[in-house]
Amino acid sequence: MSAALGLKIKPVTTVPADDDSDVSALINRLTAEVNQIAVDKTRSIQQITNQMKMLALNALIESSRAGAQGAGFAVVAQEVRGVGQQVETIARELETQLTKRTGDLVASIERMSQRSRGERMMDLYLNAIELIDRNLYERTCDVRWWATDSAVVDCAASPTPAAVTYASQRLGVILGAYTVYLDLWLCDLDGNVIANGRADRFRVVGQNVAHTKWFREAKSLRSGDDYVAGDVENQPLLGNAQVATYCASVRAGGQAHGVPIGVLAIHFDWEPQARAIVQGVRVGDNDKARVLLVDSNFRVIAASDGQGILSERIALSLNGQRSGFYHDRSGTMIAFHATPGYETYRGLGWYGVIVCGA
């Protein structure tokens, strides 16, 4: 494996985000124009029929003044008045029906636009989290491989000063090639750190980590083929940096089913890698979107705005789905997608989330 296996997120490219919204806006505008034209024309018809009715009324008045000679003209005036009323009724019905139809069309277009937008957000994050899982899978490969390194195995078996020095040097060489890690720790079965790769920067040798969840789980691994993927956390012994810790058991002779003799813990430098992930999701400027990665407890572990990391929890409504989108009470669209896992890495129940402004 090479250093190229580090988590290097490339921007996710898709059809320009504005395309769908531009088409919807155009259709909405044209529909509104048609509706306005229909309203204007029917009102013009109503004005003309009002004039016809007024003329018919005046004709009736004049015919009554003419007496018997105006009787025939009165019949014509009455017919004109009746036609005017019919035209007015038709115009009103036309206006009502057109307004309803164009209103239904606008609402339908808006629903289609929102659905298209939500599906686009889901697809954007699916591309990103598939890349995340493939890269985090490599981290599980790294820790299982390095746990079989002869320097690591020999030091775990017999932590003499010379063995510790050599193991630390070996771990330092690995860190020089794999820059996505903050440090690598070799621990004995009691949880004592006996060697690390950056001893000049992190003075952790002699510290005890037996209380940590990742160490307890690693100590119980059944073979060298198994691994532990810890939750993202602030690690006090590494300057309180955000790390994702991966562990594998060190076994006698470097054999997968050898007797456990130690634990190797590798600390993935989470914050810069996570920032690259969420900022690499190419949402449009018009979406006013906040791109998040949350863990299985909906705790924010990455955010495009850098806010709420490891402290904020998102009220995510999954409704039993692994992906989807919905609008909350404020009208904000929330799109989500579960991390799918990759090969033997099943993921940790994380979700990619995009919160779009209303």
Side-chain angles (χ1 to χ4, degrees):
M1 299 182 185
S2 68
L5 295 179
L7 186 55
K8 297 180 180 178
I9 304 298
K10 295 181 179 179
V12 179
T13 57
T14 63
V15 175
D18 293 337
D19 282 5
D20 289 340
S21 59
D22 286 349
V23 172
S24 297
L26 175 61
I27 296 175
N28 274 323
R29 180 171 61 80
L30 292 175
T31 303
E33 290 177 0
V34 170
N35 184 66
Q36 188 60 48
I37 290 171
V39 170
D40 291 344
K41 294 304 180 183
T42 52
R43 287 177 180 172
S44 296
I45 294 172
Q46 289 173 355
Q47 290 175 357
I48 293 171
T49 55
N50 286 336
Q51 292 175 351
M52 289 175 61
K53 286 159 57 178
M54 184 61 67
L55 290 171
L57 179 60
N58 289 334
L60 285 172
I61 293 173
E62 292 300 325
S63 65
S64 65
R65 289 176 180 175
Q69 295 179 350
F73 187 67
V75 174
V76 175
Q78 189 65 42
E79 287 296 325
V80 171
R81 185 179 187 184
V83 170
Q85 289 175 337
Q86 291 178 8
V87 172
E88 182 180 22
T89 300
I90 292 171
R92 286 177 178 173
E93 290 177 351
L94 177 62
E95 180 181 0
T96 300
Q97 292 176 7
L98 279 175
T99 302
K100 181 179 185 305
R101 295 294 190 276
T102 53
D104 290 344
L105 179 58
V106 169
S108 178
I109 292 169
E110 178 62 21
R111 288 193 297 271
M112 291 171 60
S113 177
Q114 290 296 326
R115 181 174 183 82
S116 176
R117 186 187 187 200
E119 291 176 347
R120 177 171 63 84
M121 293 300 170
M122 288 164 49
D123 290 342
L124 278 173
Y125 223 131
L126 175 59
N127 292 336
I129 59 179
E130 284 180 336
L131 185 57
I132 293 169
D133 278 349
R134 286 198 297 271
N135 279 274
L136 295 183
Y137 164 74
E138 296 294 346
R139 310 287 69 83
T140 70
C141 296
D142 290 346
V143 71
R144 286 177 287 179
W145 175 33
W146 297 336
T148 65
D149 187 282
S150 60
V152 172
V153 174
D154 291 346
C155 184
S158 179
T160 64
V164 168
T165 298
Y166 183 55
S168 295
Q169 290 175 347
R170 175 60 183 156
L171 294 177
V173 169
I174 293 173
L175 285 171
Y178 289 77
T179 57
V180 296
Y181 295 104
L182 273 179
D183 205 3
L184 313 180
W185 297 353
L186 175 59
C187 309
D188 64 22
L189 292 179
D190 293 322
N192 299 305
V193 181
I194 58 178
N196 72 309
R198 291 197 171 117
D200 57 334
R201 182 177 172 186
F202 303 114
R203 301 185 181 279
V204 297
V205 171
Q207 297 289 335
N208 188 276
V209 295
H211 63 284
T212 62
K213 180 182 177 182
W214 49 262
F215 179 83
R216 293 196 305 269
E217 292 180 352
K219 191 175 178 180
S220 301
L221 291 173
R222 293 177 297 178
S223 76
D225 296 326
D226 300 321
Y227 63 87
V228 170
D231 292 327
V232 177
E233 63 180 359
N234 292 113
Q235 176 49 254
L237 297 178
L238 296 175
N240 217 38
Q242 297 170 19
V243 297
T245 300
Y246 293 80
C247 302
S249 56
V250 181
R251 295 177 176 263
Q255 300 299 311
H257 296 286
V259 176
I261 56 177
V263 168
L264 180 65
I266 64 175
H267 300 288
F268 185 63
D269 191 6
W270 176 254
E271 194 277 331
Q273 315 304 323
R275 184 174 62 249
I277 294 167
V278 294
Q279 292 183 353
V281 178
R282 296 301 189 188
V283 294
D285 292 338
N286 293 335
D287 290 312
K288 301 176 183 178
R290 186 184 185 209
V291 182
L292 307 172
L293 189 63
V294 302
D295 63 16
S296 59
N297 294 314
F298 303 157
R299 181 186 59 154
V300 174
I301 56 178
S304 58
D305 60 0
Q307 302 299 309
I309 300 174
L310 302 186
S311 61
E312 180 184 357
R313 293 185 186 276
I314 298 296
L316 197 59
S317 298
L318 301 178
N319 293 323
Q321 297 178 313
R322 291 181 56 80
S323 64
F325 65 91
Y326 61 93
H327 290 81
D328 65 14
R329 293 180 179 178
S330 69
T332 298
M333 174 183 284
I334 300 174
F336 62 90
H337 208 301
T339 53
Y342 184 75
E343 294 195 9
T344 59
Y345 179 72
R346 292 173 294 179
L348 300 174
W350 293 357
Y351 283 85
V353 179
I354 300 180
V355 180
C356 298

